[in-house]
Amino acid sequence: MAALASLPPLPPQFKTIQHHLRTAQEHDKRDPVVAYYCRLYAMQTGMKIDSKTPECRKFLSKLMDQLEALKKQLGDNEAVSQEIVGCAHLENYALKMFLYADNEDRAARFHKNMIKSFYTASLLIDVLTVFGELTDENVKHRKYARWKATYIHHCLKSGETPQAGPVGMEEENDVEDSEDVGAASLPTQPPPPSSSAYDPSSLPPGGYSGVQIPPGAHAPANTPAEVPHSTGVTTNTIQPTPQTIPDIDPALFSTVSQGDIRLTPEDFARAQKYCKYAGSALQYEDVSTAVQNLQKALKLLTTGRE
């Protein structure tokens, strides 16, 4: 990918988007789609903060040039040309990063890359707002990830040993105020199998297990938990966790869309979101949530009502 023109110095007014822009730079080669949406979020947020001050206008103009160059380079990529695909791409990437950090935390493997991954996951959930309002699930993941990054960073900085897994969440200084947390760069090379360094390509797509570790009172209710990586020690085979499948409305099997049903663009968008949520649930082998969302989509498409 061709190098992007550099930006002028960041105006003080735009301090709140500095880490989003840094995340964009880190992903220019790793995942240009993520980089594009991070810049789009920064652009939209910056416009709301200050679009009149000369230094801010100059900065936003250069940022717009970067966005246009990226969009031209990624013109054939559906994740840029179609919002529903882009939203799913970004959300999946953020959840993989969250999952990696959460597993490291639960295993009491505390290190800078894990802190960085928690924090970056929270930034990417911020970026999801370019597609609309966040789901309650993503709001909880963002709050938990940002708090965890702050908590572990402060513990390591003061020489304390963090408590692994979910603990009592306290209101602390926002991690955005700490340059140390956002400063570490993500590794550019895939780590060896024994390494704890984060690399999204090392996570198999859709390879989450059905094993659920109780997340505790302050972790997101459906925080995913992967089976720990193999350490060479033989263990018993983990059996799939039994799941309760919700009752399916029999009427849905015989429902045929009536000729007078007129679906609006908003109806189609909501149906697409339900299908997307179902797909995300299946990545975590959450059959119940997948079935519920598919039923909502089918009812909406056949009746025009939710």
Side-chain angles (χ1 to χ4, degrees):
M1 175 170 289
L4 299 173
S6 60
L7 294 172
L10 184 76
Q13 298 95 311
F14 292 162
K15 181 182 177 181
T16 55
I17 60 174
Q18 63 180 336
H19 291 302
H20 300 88
L21 290 170
R22 181 178 294 162
T23 300
Q25 292 178 332
E26 292 171 346
H27 285 82
D28 277 334
K29 293 183 179 179
R30 168 166 294 184
D31 193 317
V33 171
V34 171
Y36 172 79
Y37 283 114
C38 284
R39 287 186 173 89
L40 180 59
Y41 170 84
M43 182 73 190
Q44 292 180 352
T45 304
M47 291 288 289
K48 295 175 183 176
I49 295 173
D50 188 343
S51 62
K52 296 182 179 180
T53 305
E55 61 176 350
C56 290
R57 288 175 62 88
K58 180 181 178 181
F59 185 89
L60 292 173
S61 176
K62 294 296 183 182
L63 182 56
M64 177 65 76
D65 290 342
Q66 284 193 349
L67 273 170
E68 291 178 350
L70 265 176
K71 191 167 187 179
K72 184 176 180 180
Q73 294 174 19
L74 300 172
D76 295 333
N77 194 315
E78 288 187 347
V80 172
S81 61
Q82 298 184 33
E83 282 196 358
I84 190 75
V85 179
C87 182
H89 178 99
L90 192 65
E91 185 175 39
N92 187 52
Y93 191 98
L95 289 178
K96 281 185 178 182
M97 187 170 280
F98 180 95
L99 176 62
Y100 160 78
D102 190 50
N103 285 338
E104 291 295 284
D105 175 43
R106 292 172 189 271
R109 293 190 291 264
F110 305 112
H111 48 85
K112 288 184 178 180
N113 279 328
M114 178 260 273
I115 297 171
K116 173 77 171 181
S117 295
F118 261 136
Y119 185 52
T120 303
S122 75
L123 294 176
L124 295 181
I125 295 175
D126 286 341
V127 175
L128 283 172
T129 59
V130 303
F131 303 105
E133 188 176 351
L134 294 177
T135 63
D136 290 341
E137 172 192 355
N138 283 332
V139 170
K140 291 176 182 177
H141 276 89
R142 179 177 62 180
K143 182 177 180 181
Y144 182 73
R146 195 161 295 182
W147 168 76
K148 258 296 183 178
T150 306
Y151 166 70
I152 298 171
H153 170 71
H154 287 173
C155 284
L156 296 184
K157 192 173 183 179
S158 61
E160 300 175 23
T161 301
Q163 182 175 337
V167 293
M169 184 158 45
E170 300 175 358
E171 294 298 327
E172 300 193 31
N173 294 330
D174 196 327
V175 71
E176 289 185 27
D177 293 333
S178 173
E179 289 296 326
D180 296 339
V181 177
S185 296
L186 296 179
T188 57
Q189 298 297 327
S194 60
S195 171
S196 59
Y198 168 75
D199 188 274
S201 62
S202 67
L203 295 171
Y208 310 120
S209 77
V211 179
Q212 297 294 320
I213 300 174
H218 296 290
N222 61 344
T223 297
E226 211 175 36
V227 179
H229 296 296
S230 173
T231 57
V233 179
T234 302
T235 57
N236 293 330
T237 302
I238 298 177
Q239 298 299 324
T241 304
Q243 300 194 40
T244 302
I245 308 301
D247 293 332
I248 299 176
D249 184 357
L252 291 175
F253 291 110
S254 57
T255 300
V256 178
S257 181
Q258 303 298 318
D260 57 349
I261 298 297
R262 294 181 180 275
L263 299 176
T264 66
E266 290 75 17
D267 291 332
F268 285 112
R270 284 199 297 272
Q272 284 182 319
K273 284 189 175 181
Y274 286 137
C275 291
K276 184 196 73 171
Y277 296 153
S280 296
L282 289 176
Q283 288 185 319
Y284 301 120
E285 300 182 7
D286 184 351
V287 177
S288 176
T289 301
V291 170
Q292 289 174 357
N293 280 286
L294 289 173
Q295 288 191 85
K296 289 179 180 178
L298 184 57
K299 181 178 180 181
L300 177 60
L301 292 173
T302 54
T303 67
R305 300 188 303 274
E306 294 189 62

